[in-house]
Amino acid sequence: MKILNVQPSSHRLTVKRSLLATAIAASVLLSGCSWLAGPEDEYIGDTLSELEPARMPDMDVEVPKIALEEIEENYHRALDVASDDEVRRKILIRLAGLQMIRSEQNQLDATEPGQHFTDAISMYNELIELQAGRPGRDKLLYQLSKAYALEGMVDESAATLDRLAMEYPDSPYIAEAQFRRAERAFSANDYAAAESFYSSVADAQQRSPFQNNATYMLGWSQFKRSRYVDAIDSFTRVLDDLMMGRSEIGDLEESSRNLAEDTLRVMSLTFSYLDGARSIYDTYPADQERAFNHLIYERLGNFYLEKKRYRDAADTYSFYVEKFPNSDYAPRFSARIIDVYDEGDFPSLLLPAKQDFVNNYGIRSQFWASKPVAIQDSLLGYLHVYLEELAKYEHSQAQAAAKPPEKELSNRELKKRQEESVEHYAAAARYYEEFIETFPQDEKTPNMVFLLGESYYESGQLANAVAAYERVAYEFLDEKQGAEAGYSAILALNELIEANAGSNDPAKQEAHAAWQIHHTNSSISFADYYPDDERAPKVLAQGAQQLLAQGENVRAIDAATRLTVWQPALDGKLQKTAWLVIGQAQFDLAAYAESEYAYRQVLAMMPAPQPGQPAPPVADGPTRAQVIDRIAANMFKQAEQQLALENKAGAVDQLLAISQLSPGTDIAISAEYDAATYLMDLERWSEAEQVLVRFRNNYPTHELAKNLSPKLVVIYQALEQWQAAANELSVMAQNDSDPDVRRQSKFLAAELYEQSGNLNNAILAYRDYANNYREPFPQMIEAQYKLVELYGKTGDMGKRRYWQNEIIKADARAGAARTDRSRYLAAEAHNEKSDELYQTFVSIPLNLPLKKSLDRKRTALDRALKSYETLIEYGVADFATQANYRIGQIYVQLSQDLLNSERPKDLDELALEQYTILLEEQAYPFEEQAIEIHEANAQRSWDGVYDNWVKDSFAALAKLLPARYNKKETVVEYDDAIH
């Protein structure tokens, strides 16, 4: 450093004064040195008073540095020439200070132990005697004590401090002296003395730099004496002084922060010796709470945690949360509880702790509602983690409970597992809800909403599931799960519709209608938003059908029209469905020409029958004949429109065209009959006669034929053909002799006999009709079927079997007259025959000798298979699925019978094992064949066929291939039934 060079104003100073000035300058340099940062002191004496007024040197002139040796030498020279005792005393004081500095430096520079402060000690002892009765003697005692301490003369240093304390109790050095005395006593384990000394410093009215440290060490002294309550009081005083109303240590300067941390640490130790958190609460009653109270609880918990006393740590944090539930710091403590449980490996406590955190501080809690945004924001990090963890935990538990059990359970146990699964799904839903509500803009929210929908669905909250799925699909437009969510919404809506169907409850009826509308709109939205999804066309087709059913004809036409132009082009089935919807919707809108066009598009997609052959069977939807009926209906409606315009001639042309389009159909018959009537109105008698004669020839048994004779009488009279008219009148007069009348009477009699309960007469009448009236074929086949029913009721199973065989033969030889009804009745009869053969096969055991019993089994198998294959050829879906199921079960039964067959009794263990392996090899192909057949039967559900036999095939597959089929699946079905 640069020393300020004070120059005298006159150069006539004596050498003596110059030397004295040099010494004074040195004293200025050394005056800032003290033992322990004690208070600055005035110099002893008033040496500077002898100096003349000073002036500041030129700042551009460098102040020369004066070496310590030079200063000391100057003081010695001054001492040699000084004759005044007072001056000599003051010079000695300066020399003692310089010697002290030299001794400290020598001690620092020394490489080996030795004595360095002997001269300084000697000087201070001499000065203390010289200073008797003068001010400043306490400082000399202070410096002497320091010299002793540095020289390692601990007892002498302590004795000097004791002397200072006794002789100068009001000295500015007394605080440090007492502090040093306390430290020595503390080091010597004399905690009572240390407490006394520290107390004098801590309780002093005049503050000193040692006061906080003294209060801190006072607490330690009291702690060492097991005076824990007093120690806590002392430590509290330290924190009160340091914190000054603050709540966080981070707000303090570093030195104060370190002392505060140390104080909190020892307080944690002290409270651990008492009653832990309870002692903290008792120490600081509600009216004496500090802003930093939470730090004490926190450090105590941390202390326990460092000692791996996990339970004590968690209890401490829990105690704070219990006593201060509305504290801003309560969430932090709750989070620490979770961390402790995690670190201490308390899995059973971890989950409830997270649940409590969410319940106590989540967005739905009172705590959240009462806190400012800053506090709410501080909770988000925890809630983000815990809500997701809890939701996924509950979801996984629900899935585990819903998983098929590894062992067979009772119905009660299964019901309990199901209830547990639903409860866990409902709990997962609540956590997903709160996550979404808390973090609406989070990147995970779309996935959380989807999982929420899954949880809702599995817990039976279908309406909520729909809302969640549709948010993902149509609000978030989630790329990963949007399409799946949209489709899942449709599935859930299907269940809602089914749940409210067929009820007489007005509320359920209203809900059913509302869910149908919702389902329709959701289907349309799915096709709008996810047209590239492979399910979109079927969903749109279903939506179009539903719009039609709801009377939304215009929208139905729009949706169906989209399907007709869909790219890439759809399969024929969906195209046909679309045109059917358009046809029906246009018909309902009275746009009959447009409707006719749509139905003609459908007709063009259907294969035409070969001449002399029945129309190809249709798996589902309308038959070719039914479509033709729809076209004819539109033509009939257009004829009515012509009549409304009073254009009877145009109406006749339309009606006669119908009979050419679909001869023999009901609508064609009605059209032809009406055409004859309008021809009579137009007095076109010859044409009318031709139509009616043709009608009689073509439809002699038709109901309208009863009215032909009166009409022909009118026509013949108009044409003046009197003989013909007379003939018609004769026919009318002799009705009961008409063979057709007799035939109809006979059939009607049979029906009435049956209705009255006279089964014997009914059997006679039907038998007579069936034996004598082969035409028309449909009535004949019905007569045979009635005989099957009635013999079944009377228990005459032999005759019942006879007429079943007659139905089968009649249907087989019917040719072009064969009908869907006759095919169905024949298939039903054949089905019973096949089932008997199946039961015969099942009843044959595989006993030893295996070849013989296996041959019998195979013979029965072949007969049953052949019978079922014939049954399938009927093309009746109801029995085809049953036949396929039975065929599959035949192979399953054969496989099981092989595996369970009787083993030879003379086989050793190895031979028996090989024998069993051979049986398994023989049985395996039959099981594979059964799987293939059941899968084919199950796949009928894809085409909308899902009867009990398809379900049974699924059940069989669930046993044969449990990994693939033993799960519940829901599919969207559509149909293109004629509207």
Side-chain angles (χ1 to χ4, degrees), residues 386-398:
Y386 299 155
L387 283 170
E388 183 176 7
E389 289 178 350
L390 290 170
K392 291 186 175 180
Y393 169 81
E394 295 291 351
H395 204 137
S396 66
Q397 291 296 107

Side-chain angles (χ1 to χ4, degrees), residues 480-620:
K480 293 183 178 179
Q481 296 171 312
E484 193 61 36
Y487 192 71
S488 296
I490 293 171
L491 297 180
L493 285 164
N494 280 340
E495 295 192 28
L496 283 167
I497 292 170
E498 183 177 351
N500 291 278
S503 174
N504 294 325
D505 183 354
K508 283 196 171 185
Q509 291 175 346
E510 183 178 352
H512 181 262
W515 288 125
Q516 283 183 318
I517 294 173
H518 193 148
H519 185 283
T520 302
N521 294 332
S522 191
S523 299
I524 301 301
S525 294
F526 184 85
D528 289 341
Y529 283 91
Y530 302 101
D532 296 330
D533 190 280
E534 63 181 6
R535 297 165 293 192
K538 289 185 179 181
V539 170
L540 182 59
Q542 186 182 51
Q545 289 175 305
Q546 291 169 342
L547 285 169
L548 180 64
Q550 294 160 16
E552 295 275 357
N553 294 312
V554 175
R555 291 181 65 197
I557 292 169
D558 290 342
T561 302
R562 285 177 60 190
L563 286 170
T564 63
V565 296
W566 195 280
Q567 293 299 324
L570 303 178
D571 61 60
K573 183 179 293 185
L574 285 179
Q575 285 278 1
K576 186 170 71 172
T577 298
W579 283 115
L580 284 169
V581 170
I582 294 172
Q584 182 63 53
Q586 296 286 20
F587 185 88
D588 292 342
L589 292 171
Y592 302 118
E594 291 82 355
S595 177
E596 179 186 347
Y597 174 81
Y599 282 118
R600 288 190 180 276
Q601 296 300 313
V602 176
L603 188 64
M605 299 177 192
M606 306 178 76
Q610 297 297 321
Q613 297 295 324
V618 178
D620 52 20

